[in-house]
Amino acid sequence: MNKLQYTFLFLIFVLLFTSSESVLTTYKTSLLNELQSTERAQLSAKAVALQSVINRNFNLMVSLEAYVSASYLQDKSDGEIHAYIEALYAGSQASALNVVIAPHGVMKYVYPFKGNEDIMNWDLLKDPRAHVQAQVQVGLQSKKMTTDGPFTLLQGMQGLVARKALFQEGVFWGFVSVAINVDELLSESGIEDETPEGPRMAIRRLGMTAFYGENATFVESPLISVIDLRDTQWELAATPPVHAIQAINNQILVTRCAILLVLLLGLFFFINMIRQRNRLGQAVDERTQELQIANEDLTAANEELIAGQQELQESTKRMQESEQMLSYLAYHDVLTGIHNRAHFQMMLKEQITYNEKRGTSLVVLFFDLDNFKMVNDSHGHHMGDHMLQEVVYRIQQSNLAYHTFARFGGDEFAILLENSPTEQDIQAFCGQLIAILKPPCLLENRAFFINASIGIVQYPHGGSTWDALLKNADIAMYMAKKESGSSFCFFNQQMEMHSISKLEMESHLRQSLERNELEIVYQPQIDCLQGTIIGAEALLRWNHTTKGYISPADFIPLAEELGLIDVIGEWVLRGACEQMKAWHSLQDVPQMISVNISVKQLNDVHFVDKVMAILEETGLEARYLEMEITENVAMLDEKMGVLYTLRELGISISVDDFGTHYSSLSYLKRFPVTKIKLDQSFVRGIQTDSKDRAMIKAIISVANAFQLQIIAEGVETEEQVEFLVANGCYQIQGFYFHKPMGPEQLQVIFCKGLDEKLAFLGEKTVPTYDI
């Protein structure tokens, strides 16, 4: 071949090689674009999964806020609140680190407790962390949900926190919050499960360094997806895996080498056309087959990409189904399947608006089951759940016409009625409802009777807003339960005034100790044979700053209901012991101090320890302390151990109001009683009622038979004293001798004699009585 032919072949070779390089460059670009598209889809899927997990956990805030805002935990025990949080957490299939209700900023209700011990009773308003205070202030000002994170939680791990401030009538009430463990969040969303073959990922808070992955990932021209967290944003960055890019480069290199080899072979073919024809044809066939195999590999890879896209679509569909389920759970009760409080409130708001336009009637019925707590406590919560389901089933299967039926939680239900303009219609509906629930409920071969107390409120007479209607219906239900149970009661303004008055008294009673409104007065106890004061009973008085003195019969039961009786009772016991110890230092003959003890105090497992601590603190000997318990408390066998322990310390046990309840001689034998107190209801009838006189003689005989001391209270006349002494009751307490008085007045009384009051006994012979 001549020089021109070589030149021509060389030019053809260069042209072919240049074309092949152009094709390879285009092909490589398409492969890289396809890889980047795949990685972008995976990154988007990861971002959607992460956003979904965050939203699913933060959606707990909706139900939690609705639960708290409905009544701000009024009339809710800690057990009910914890049970609701636990049910809400379990029902929503949440994976949050914790769910918190923080009245006044203090994390009081936390679920789950395990792993969150460090935040119990933590005061958010006093949290020393600057970023937490910043989030709290933003929440208080905006009154919207705020988010913060990730940051190091008190539990020691990285967390993401959503928090919302709640306000009651415009006044800050507290917070509800949900915290998510960042590590658990990344694991659940599948980010931490990424394989080495997957993309290199990193996550950071907008404008900050990466808290997952390498910060350098954001510099290497990454694919970025943004997650909106209300107050901040997270950036997810990903770069294609190195091995994938290397695989493309290797593929291009192999192809380039193959093309170059083909060109060289073609050139060699032209040079050695005759000698190499057959061998060159065979080589071309082999190379063609290799290219077909490579093409088949590319086709298979493309099919895998298509399958991955289909899987992504299916995952998106599953997430949509999960969101629909969460939406369902937000407005339905998990146990019974009917609507919940949130849905009822929404319907009530809509019907109020509709009523304003059309003028139709609107009635709210609020009811709960009488003695339902006893079923739960006695037979277990599963039996209580079956009973609730039976109630819902009966109402749903009945012919009752109602607009909305919902469960508010526990055993509380609400029914919204329309087109019931008269009280007769409403009464008929309530009668039918009670009748439906009246037949016995058979659960696990046991018969239970279901009784309901129903509160009724009519719009707009019973309230012009949805929350006022629910509140007043609850008040009416309470009155129905208080009167008889298994009945219904219409709301009226007097009920609201009574409820407000009770709330006001509750508020003042909680502050009574701090305001020094509580006082201890003392009523002397007289021994008529000795003619001396032998002791005194400590009596509690409440001198309200505006209402004056309030009867103990009004505020003592309220203190027991509010759980304040332990604190108040301990304060009275300490004050009485201190005062008697001070009197002992001024007297030749030490006297007894008698203190009333509530059954709530005896229920305290640390009661005996508290009594011992007070005696040691005040220096009063136990033998000079007498504790008065009511007759119905004395008959409770579970209190026997506490009473015996007190008696072993040397403390005397007195039974107050003896004979007014279900008296039983057996408990006088079994319990460590040292004295019985004759109730003033018998004393008042001494002069007028022969049966009262006979009862007094019988009780004195019982005390004599059991070798017990006996004292009469409420003695006001000379005739009453004369009768009691003549029949063997020598210890007297009452207005005839002295009214309850302050310690300074009683100190003066100690120094005075009782000759004038006992002069009527004169030379009368009084039978002696050995006690």
Side-chain angles (χ1 to χ4, degrees):
M1 298 178 66
N2 54 32
K3 185 176 181 180
L4 181 60
Q5 290 175 328
Y6 277 111
T7 302
F8 179 76
L9 290 175
F10 177 76
L11 290 175
I12 293 176
F13 179 85
V14 170
L15 179 61
L16 291 175
F17 181 80
T18 303
S19 300
S20 66
E21 282 297 311
S22 177
V23 171
L24 285 176
T25 301
T26 303
Y27 179 58
K28 179 179 179 180
T29 301
S30 67
L31 289 178
L32 290 175
N33 290 338
E34 188 174 358
L35 176 61
Q36 191 175 41
S37 176
T38 302
E39 300 305 330
R40 182 178 290 107
Q42 292 183 2
L43 177 63
S44 177
K46 295 288 186 180
V48 170
L50 184 59
Q51 183 80 64
S52 177
V53 173
I54 294 173
N55 290 344
R56 172 160 51 84
N57 283 285
F58 281 177
N59 281 343
L60 287 171
M61 295 280 288
V62 177
S63 298
L64 200 60
E65 177 188 358
Y67 174 73
V68 175
S69 299
S71 64
Y72 289 92
L73 308 188
Q74 293 178 0
D75 300 324
K76 297 289 188 303
S77 67
D78 290 351
E80 291 175 333
I81 297 171
H82 283 295
Y84 174 80
I85 299 177
E86 180 179 357
L88 174 63
Y89 188 95
S92 62
Q93 300 180 350
S95 59
L97 176 62
N98 58 55
V99 179
V100 176
I101 300 178
H104 308 296
V106 178
M107 297 184 181
K108 181 177 181 182
Y109 306 105
V110 180
Y111 184 85
F113 178 78
K114 185 176 181 181
N116 293 288
E117 295 85 353
D118 293 337
I119 67 171
M120 286 298 299
N121 297 317
W122 183 265
D123 193 341
L124 287 171
L125 299 178
K126 298 180 180 179
D127 195 305
R129 296 170 292 180
H131 63 90
V132 174
Q133 285 299 316
Q135 185 189 13
V136 167
Q137 293 304 317
V138 171
L140 291 174
Q141 294 173 5
S142 66
K143 299 183 180 181
K144 297 180 179 179
M145 186 179 81
T146 61
T147 60
D148 190 17
F151 63 90
T152 302
L153 304 176
L154 294 176
Q155 297 89 328
M157 72 284 291
Q158 291 291 310
L160 174 64
V161 176
R163 184 174 291 114
K164 184 170 184 180
L166 301 182
F167 294 80
Q168 183 181 16
E169 297 180 356
V171 178
F172 171 66
W173 180 89
F175 294 99
V176 293
S177 65
V178 175
I180 307 175
N181 185 334
V182 171
D183 292 338
E184 292 292 335
L185 173 64
L186 298 180
S187 176
E188 185 175 356
S189 59
I191 293 178
E192 282 192 345
D193 298 333
E194 62 179 323
T195 60
E197 291 77 16
R200 293 180 298 159
M201 296 190 65
I203 308 175
R204 70 179 181 183
R205 192 171 176 176
L206 188 63
M208 297 185 179
T209 59
F211 61 86
Y212 173 80
E214 299 178 358
N215 203 54
T217 306
F218 290 92
V219 184
E220 299 173 358
S221 300
L223 303 172
I224 295 179
S225 183
V226 177
I227 296 179
D228 187 6
L229 298 177
R230 292 179 176 264
D231 302 312
T232 185
Q233 291 181 331
W234 284 4
E235 290 183 327
L236 274 70
T239 58
V242 176
H243 73 88
I245 298 176
Q246 186 64 40
I248 293 175
N249 291 333
N250 292 339
Q251 182 180 358
I252 296 300
L253 180 60
V254 170
T255 306
R256 179 180 289 111
C257 292
I259 293 174
L260 182 60
L261 181 58
V262 170
L263 292 177
L264 291 173
L265 287 175
L267 182 62
F268 185 74
F269 171 78
F270 282 105
I271 297 175
N272 301 283
M273 183 182 297
I274 297 174
R275 294 182 303 168
Q276 301 286 339
R277 179 177 297 177
N278 295 332
R279 293 178 60 186
L280 183 59
Q282 184 179 359
V284 170
D285 291 340
E286 292 175 353
R287 302 313 301 168
T288 302
Q289 186 176 3
E290 292 177 359
L291 291 174
Q292 288 176 348
I293 293 174
N295 184 60
E296 291 174 357
D297 292 340
L298 291 175
T299 303
N302 185 55
E303 291 176 352
E304 291 179 358
L305 291 175
I306 294 174
Q309 184 177 8
Q310 293 176 348
E311 183 178 354
L312 178 60
Q313 293 174 348
E314 292 176 356
S315 176
T316 302
K317 182 179 179 181
R318 288 194 296 270
M319 288 193 305
Q320 292 175 346
E321 293 174 350
S322 298
E323 291 176 357
Q324 293 174 354
M325 178 58 69
L326 287 175
S327 177
Y328 174 84
L329 293 176
Y331 291 101
H332 288 79
D333 178 56
V334 177
L335 176 63
T336 61
I338 64 175
H339 292 298
N340 60 9
R341 178 196 295 266
H343 179 82
F344 190 90
Q345 291 175 350
M346 181 175 64
M347 289 295 100
L348 184 55
K349 293 177 185 177
E350 292 180 359
Q351 289 305 307
I352 289 175
T353 302
Y354 181 82
N355 182 274
E356 292 175 350
K357 296 179 180 179
R358 302 293 181 90
T360 57
S361 63
L362 189 63
V363 180
V364 175
L365 306 182
F366 193 78
F367 69 93
D368 70 359
L369 309 182
D370 300 335
N371 300 323
F372 176 76
K373 184 177 185 299
M374 182 178 66
V375 175
N376 265 348
D377 295 342
S378 303
H379 303 283
H381 288 277
H382 70 287
M383 293 291 281
D385 291 344
H386 290 328
M387 178 175 286
L388 295 174
Q389 292 169 343
E390 175 67 16
V391 168
V392 171
Y393 175 78
R394 290 187 183 185
I395 295 176
Q396 288 181 328
Q397 296 301 314
S398 68
N399 295 323
L400 294 177
Y402 52 79
H403 181 277
T404 303
F405 174 39
R407 180 187 176 208
F408 271 41
D411 62 331
E412 293 182 341
F413 297 88
I415 293 178
L416 180 62
L417 299 181
E418 284 188 315
N419 300 322
S420 297
T422 66
E423 290 191 2
Q424 289 78 7
D425 295 336
I426 301 171
Q427 290 174 354
F429 184 94
C430 293
Q432 294 175 20
L433 178 60
I434 293 175
I436 289 170
L437 300 178
K438 188 174 183 180
C441 173
L442 297 177
L443 301 175
E444 298 184 3
N445 297 323
R446 297 179 182 177
F448 296 91
F449 290 91
I450 305 174
N451 297 319
S453 296
I454 308 172
I456 308 168
V457 63
Q458 297 173 279
Y459 174 86
H461 309 295
S464 58
T465 62
W466 65 270
D467 50 346
L469 289 172
L470 291 178
K471 179 194 70 174
N472 294 336
D474 188 32
I475 293 174
M477 182 199 71
Y478 175 79
M479 297 302 297
K481 185 180 295 291
K482 184 177 180 182
E483 290 177 0
S484 63
S486 189
S487 62
F488 53 85
C489 180
F490 283 86
F491 172 80
N492 56 51
Q493 296 301 322
Q494 287 76 15
M495 293 181 185
E496 184 175 22
M497 293 175 63
H498 174 76
S499 177
I500 293 173
S501 177
K502 182 180 178 182
L503 288 174
E504 180 182 358
M505 183 177 290
E506 289 178 3
S507 176
H508 280 277
L509 184 57
R510 292 182 186 277
Q511 305 173 46
S512 58
L513 280 174
E514 298 176 2
R515 295 179 175 179
N516 296 319
E517 294 179 355
L518 296 183
E519 302 173 357
I520 304 176
V521 296
Y522 302 87
Q523 187 171 32
Q525 296 175 334
I526 313 300
D527 189 311
C528 294
L529 290 184
Q530 299 178 13
T532 60
I533 297 175
I534 59 173
E537 180 181 2
L539 300 171
L540 181 63
R541 295 292 184 265
W542 182 14
N543 187 6
H544 195 282
T545 53
T546 58
K547 297 182 180 180
Y549 283 98
I550 298 176
S551 171
D554 293 331
F555 73 84
I556 292 297
L558 183 59
E560 292 182 338
E561 180 182 341
L562 297 176
L564 298 175
I565 195 65
D566 288 339
V567 177
I568 295 176
E570 185 177 346
W571 178 81
V572 172
L573 180 60
R574 178 177 285 104
C577 291
E578 287 178 350
Q579 184 60 60
M580 183 52 70
K581 180 62 178 177
W583 283 331
H584 281 184
S585 63
L586 303 174
Q587 297 169 342
D588 296 330
V589 180
Q591 297 173 341
M592 297 278 291
I593 185 68
S594 180
V595 181
N596 292 278
I597 301 300
S598 167
V599 65
K600 298 289 187 179
Q601 292 175 265
L602 293 177
N603 289 333
D604 185 357
V605 295
H606 302 293
F607 178 67
V608 175
D609 296 332
K610 293 178 179 178
V611 173
M612 294 174 62
I614 290 174
L615 290 175
E616 182 178 355
E617 176 186 335
T618 60
L620 182 68
E621 295 182 41
R623 59 179 174 154
Y624 297 115
L625 174 60
E626 179 180 270
M627 291 188 174
E628 289 192 16
I629 59 176
T630 57
E631 181 180 327
N632 56 342
V633 173
M635 296 179 68
L636 299 175
D637 287 339
E638 59 266 26
K639 302 299 181 290
M640 184 184 299
V642 177
L643 297 178
Y644 266 108
T645 303
L646 294 172
R647 190 70 191 98
E648 289 171 358
L649 294 175
I651 299 171
S652 300
I653 305 297
S654 171
V655 179
D656 197 8
D657 303 332
F658 185 80
T660 59
H661 298 283
Y662 303 99
S663 301
S664 173
L665 298 182
S666 63
Y667 78 76
L668 291 179
K669 174 183 176 182
R670 292 184 293 113
F671 284 81
V673 177
T674 60
K675 180 188 292 186
I676 56 179
K677 202 166 189 179
L678 190 62
D679 188 69
Q680 59 183 339
S681 61
F682 299 125
V683 175
R684 293 193 188 102
I686 285 176
Q687 297 166 265
T688 59
D689 194 331
S690 60
K691 292 183 178 179
D692 282 341
R693 292 193 292 271
M695 180 67 74
I696 291 173
K697 292 179 181 180
I699 294 175
I700 293 174
S701 298
V702 169
N704 185 34
F706 283 91
Q707 297 183 346
L708 300 175
Q709 299 181 36
I710 184 168
I711 184 172
E713 65 177 348
V715 179
E716 299 180 352
T717 67
E718 181 179 304
E719 291 79 3
Q720 293 171 351
V721 177
E722 182 178 3
F723 177 84
L724 291 168
V725 172
N727 287 277
C729 180
Y730 310 122
Q731 295 185 14
I732 305 294
Q733 177 181 339
F735 284 8
Y736 177 74
F737 291 103
H738 299 290
K739 295 182 179 180
M741 61 190 71
E744 298 81 7
Q745 296 172 292
L746 186 54
Q747 178 61 42
V748 176
I749 297 299
F750 282 145
C751 302
K752 293 182 178 181
L754 299 170
D755 296 339
E756 181 180 350
K757 290 288 186 179
L758 297 175
F760 71 93
L761 296 176
E763 299 297 328
K764 295 180 181 178
T765 301
V766 179
T768 61
Y769 176 56
D770 184 10
I771 57 174

